Structure formats: structure tokens, C-alpha cells
Amino acid sequence: MSIATPPRYETVADLLKQLGGVPAARIRMNPTPGTATEKDVTKIHDREGRLFELVDGVLVEKGMGFEEARFAAWLVLYLGNFIAPRKLGIFLGADGMMRLFPGLVRIPDVAYISWERFPKSARERGAIPDVAPDLVVEVLSKSNTRKEMERKLDEYFEAGVRLVWYVDPKARTVRVYTARYDFKTLTTDDELDGGDVLPGFRLAIAEWFAESEETGP
């Protein structure tokens, strides 16, 4: 998925189609689409506190809201309680930027990177690491489109991600991908497990969703 020269767009419709039909409100027009760089990603985050992915030289704002953040935060807690005591690697929340390919920066809602994959080369503090996580989790929001998420799946597995979870709070399902076209859909009657990526990790989806949707004692 490495793109040496960002594609040229004749119309805004061409641009949106290339990006998977994302809402136009998520596209940053400054810098001009097709000319953005990783420096723009980090500069906007540091200056405005907003998260933009870099795709084909275009800054695309990460689609995530309050409710989606709750699901991601609880999952980070569950994963952390399993990963940390076993010293398996690191786990990231919804602002963990990573370079999957030159010119492609994605920001999963949750990610796990084993120590075997953790980037060992020195880099400036705040610089975006070049790494493909073992596990990537995306919590779907209203502004995510099917084409956008299909493109992300292509990129994740091409980059070497081993396991992807797509969480749909509205449908109350978790789609588990072990390869681009190899998946199963779990419901709140099921248990999520770490497979070959996190052997021994198990989480009742009903428990996770209940914690994420709680409104008070």
C-alpha cells in the first residue's frame, strides 16, 4: 500500500471515493489534499489535540466519539490487566499513531504490540513509529463507512497485523479477523479470546459491553 506519489483528484467526489466514502467533514483542506505529511499529523495533534490519519497525502480525521471511547477504554483496561503482568509487550489507546507504510499513518482505537515487534531503533520523542501491531481494534462510529473499514482491513493485513477486531456497539457485535477474508462474528452471548496472538486472554463480551454502557449505580 506504499504510495510514492499521491494520486491526483479531478473532483472532490474522486477524493472521497478514494478514501472509502468518508464524510467530507472529516477531510482537512489545509494542507491541500494530496500534499499532507506526517509532520502535519503530529503538528495538528500537538497544537489542536485532534487526531488525523494520513492517507494518500490527505488528512482524514479519526471518527470516534464519547461512546466509542468508552468501549475502547474498557478494552484497554482488560488487555492491560492481561498483558502487563506477563510482560508480553505494550498496549495503546485511541491516540497511538503508527506508520504502516511510507505515507500511511493509521490510529487504531486499541492496539497491542509484542516486544518482538516493538520498534527498537532510536527515534525522536513524539515521532511516529514504523510498526505493525500484533492486534488492532477499531470501534465503529457513525461516520465510519463500509468502504473505509474494508480499506483499513486491506492495509492492516498487508502490513502484517495478525488479528483485527471490529467492534460495533450499535449492532452489539465483534467481528474477529484472523486474515483479510477469514472472520467470525461474535455477539454478547460469546466470549472473545486472544487466539494465537494473546493465548489465554478471554473476555465475556456481555461483561465488556455492560461496563461500557453503564449509566450509574
Side-chain angles (χ1 to χ4, degrees), residues 19 32 59 89 100 125 132 138-139 145 165 178 180 191 212:
L19 298 173
T32 303
L59 294 181
L100 297 181
R125 182 175 178 81
E138 296 276 2
V139 182
T145 68
W165 296 341
T178 52
R180 174 59 181 89
E191 193 173 54
S212 302

Side-chain angles (χ1 to χ4, degrees), residues 61-74:
E61 190 161 23
K62 182 171 175 59
M64 192 173 190
F66 182 87
E67 300 301 332
E68 293 81 16
R70 291 183 68 188
F71 278 84
W74 272 103

Side-chain angles (χ1 to χ4, degrees), residues 99-174:
R99 181 189 308 110
L100 297 181
F101 297 100
L104 177 64
V105 174
R106 289 299 189 185
I107 314 173
D109 296 319
V110 181
Y112 157 64
I113 305 171
S114 63
W115 288 126
E116 290 76 13
R117 291 191 174 206
F118 188 79
K120 302 298 192 294
S121 57
R123 69 181 188 278
E124 291 184 21
R125 182 175 178 81
I128 298 173
D130 189 0
V131 62
D134 298 79
L135 166 67
V136 158
V137 184
E138 296 276 2
V139 182
L140 304 182
S141 68
K142 289 192 300 183
S143 70
N144 289 132
T145 68
R146 179 176 61 83
K147 290 292 187 181
E148 175 191 15
M149 303 314 292
E150 287 178 352
R151 172 171 177 160
K152 284 191 175 188
L153 275 175
D154 289 336
E155 295 166 350
Y156 285 142
F157 283 108
E158 186 175 348
V161 174
R162 300 171 59 198
L163 182 62
V164 176
W165 296 341
Y166 273 6
V167 184
D168 189 336
K170 183 176 181 180
R172 301 180 66 74
T173 60
V174 180

Side-chain angles (χ1 to χ4, degrees), residues 78-107:
Y78 286 120
L79 287 171
N81 287 339
F82 182 85
I83 293 167
R86 293 167 177 79
K87 302 187 183 302
L88 301 176
I90 70 165
F91 46 97
L92 303 170
D95 55 357
M97 303 174 187
M98 54 196 68
R99 181 189 308 110
L100 297 181
F101 297 100
L104 177 64
V105 174
R106 289 299 189 185
I107 314 173

